[in-house]
């Protein structure tokens, strides 16, 4: 049991890093690329990039925190409802247990036997209903907070990497070229390890992740330069 | 059955709209707010905002598409593995079925009875293992594509609303004030319906969603103006 929970916990952590880092490496890079075709000063690009990173961090982190809290509250309210139903309408709940098994071709005698054995322990009965009828797993109580910090932090780190290029170059176009090189490398390495962890082919996965970043940057560049030419 | 699937499908659609719209209403608004304190020309803000929306749309939409494809591939590979195991090592799989039930206090006789009945129909047996041993539900085959379009579209619409303010005003500060009014209203209305759908208290939920947007915008504004003062 302890081992399984450790495993789940580390998966959630890695999932959060992947969520934050995917967007962090892609969106600020693409925004900076877009602006590179439309402005003449690196300072504006860095300012916009930093504003985006701060906004994205808070939106994703705080959004993740609230989503996690909601999930926990939802689980707890359903849990209380199941406990109440087991107390007040036990025969209805027993019928629901039977229906879960009926779906898998268990016959009447088998269903009754199971329902009666489950009903002996209310905690296990309710746990069974939560998982098998409602498909809900108990969220870790610290999940919301940890998730917010991990996603926000990964977005921050991922977003700063492409921006550094604009600090060490003098013109947007040099910044863009350097930034594209740094980010392509980062996206590939990130995509490689992400795919390894999620059990996909690492090189194919790395190419997919890198493509999303480059497509987003190319589209942002085309739209921003097009818009700039129309209105400036 | 048909009814349940309809319900699940519409939930997934609404979840995707909520995902896209939450970030769409928040991040481009906050980016524009941040730039309002650092630049003197609305055109730069609109260009940056549009570049961000395009980048965010593609990152979220294409990212969602690939995540959906991966989920489907993962489900299919696990499904094939379970079918193979049921053929080649049925006694091991029967033992795993028993363990699932043992956790809920079902006795040896009950476990054996259930395992034997499940084993009569290989499809149901595998479905049972997928859902209750591995916790995997079959994803809808069009889910990845639909999810990408819905999330990307919701992000696009959500992101354009705050930007319109900068088109119809002359200076960044007027744009910011108008944009903050429009976005606060949109976030509140969006948060209200989102909370109603997810079963939270609508006004509390609306206030939470609105707060995230305003906190992100205020933070982006402070960081961008601070950075601008340091380096300009």
């Amino acid at each position: 049991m302890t081992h399984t929970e450790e495993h789940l916990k580390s998966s959630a952590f890695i999932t959060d890093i992947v969520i934050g880092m995917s967007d962090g490496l892609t969106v600020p890079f693409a925004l900076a690329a877009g602006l590179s075709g439309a402005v003449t000063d690196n300072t504006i690009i860095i300012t916009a990039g930093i504003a985006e990173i701060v906004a994205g961090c808070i939106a994703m982190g705080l959004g993740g925190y609230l989503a996690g809290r909601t999930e926990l509250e939802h689980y707890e309210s359903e849990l209380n409802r199941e406990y109440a139903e087991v107390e007040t309408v036990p025969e209805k709940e027993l019928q629901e247990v039977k229906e879960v098994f009926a779906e898998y071709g268990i016959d009447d005698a088998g269903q009754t036997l199971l329902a009666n054995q489950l009903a002996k322990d209310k905690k296990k009965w309710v746990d069974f209903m939560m998982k098998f009828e409602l498909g809900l797993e108990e969220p870790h109580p610290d999940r919301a907070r940890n998730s917010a910090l991990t996603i926000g932090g990964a977005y921050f780190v991922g977003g700063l990497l492409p921006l550094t290029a604009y600090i060490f170059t003098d013109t947007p176009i040099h910044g863009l070229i350097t930034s594209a090189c740094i980010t392509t490398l980062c996206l590939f390495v990130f995509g490689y390890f992400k795919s390894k962890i999620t059990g996909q082919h690492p090189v194919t996965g790395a190419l997919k992740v890198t493509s999303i970043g480059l497509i987003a940057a190319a589209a942002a560049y085309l739209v921003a330069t097009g818009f700039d030419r129309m209105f400036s």
Side-chain angles (χ1 to χ4, degrees), chain A:
Chain A
M1 264 316 260
T2 318
H3 176 74
T4 314
E5 286 196 12
E6 282 300 316
H7 179 72
L8 280 177
K9 208 177 153 188
S10 97
S11 281
F13 178 69
I14 287 168
T15 306
D16 288 342
I17 288 193
V18 167
I19 292 171
M21 189 70 81
S22 309
D23 278 13
L25 275 172
T26 307
V27 183
F29 161 59
L31 167 67
L35 283 175
S36 299
V39 302
T40 51
D41 181 2
N42 278 12
T43 314
I44 293 175
I45 298 174
I46 301 167
T47 307
I50 287 177
E52 210 285 335
I53 293 172
V54 170
C57 253
I58 291 175
M60 289 191 88
L62 218 50
Y65 177 75
L66 289 185
R69 293 292 314 167
T70 304
E71 197 189 330
L72 192 63
E73 281 161 21
H74 181 232
Y75 183 86
E76 280 165 1
S77 90
E78 290 293 329
L79 191 71
N80 290 335
R81 208 169 62 104
E82 284 297 330
Y83 269 112
E85 286 180 357
V86 158
E87 290 293 342
T88 53
V89 285
E91 60 296 330
K92 189 178 150 277
E93 291 299 296
L94 283 177
Q95 189 52 40
E96 285 177 10
V97 171
K98 289 180 176 181
E99 279 162 17
V100 170
F101 291 115
E103 245 184 74
Y104 292 94
I106 304 297
D107 66 16
D108 253 358
Q111 291 169 30
T112 310
L113 182 139
L114 278 170
N116 291 339
Q117 287 198 13
L118 263 182
K120 281 181 200 155
D121 183 333
K122 274 190 189 133
K123 194 189 168 306
K124 283 179 177 163
W125 188 8
V126 167
D127 283 352
F128 180 90
M129 299 306 284
M130 291 299 285
K131 188 164 175 191
F132 289 72
E133 190 204 356
L134 303 175
L136 294 174
E137 303 260 5
E138 186 174 5
H140 194 284
D142 298 335
R143 176 94 177 85
R145 197 200 55 207
N146 292 346
S147 186
L149 293 174
T150 313
I151 293 177
Y155 191 90
F156 192 82
V157 173
L160 278 187
L161 291 169
L163 276 194
T164 53
Y166 293 90
I167 300 171
F168 301 114
T169 55
D170 292 326
T171 61
I173 192 71
H174 288 128
L176 175 57
I177 294 164
T178 317
S179 179
C181 294
I182 294 174
T183 313
T184 303
L185 184 69
C186 291
L187 282 168
F188 193 88
V189 172
F190 166 70
Y192 186 89
F193 286 105
K194 177 192 156 182
S195 308
K196 252 192 132 77
I197 291 161
T198 54
Q200 295 172 272
H201 190 280
V203 175
T204 316
L207 289 174
K208 281 183 194 170
V209 168
T210 311
S211 306
I212 295 182
L214 295 179
I215 290 169
Y221 182 87
L222 289 175
V223 171
T225 47
F227 179 83
D228 191 57
R229 263 178 219 147
M230 267 198 318
F231 289 92
S232 292

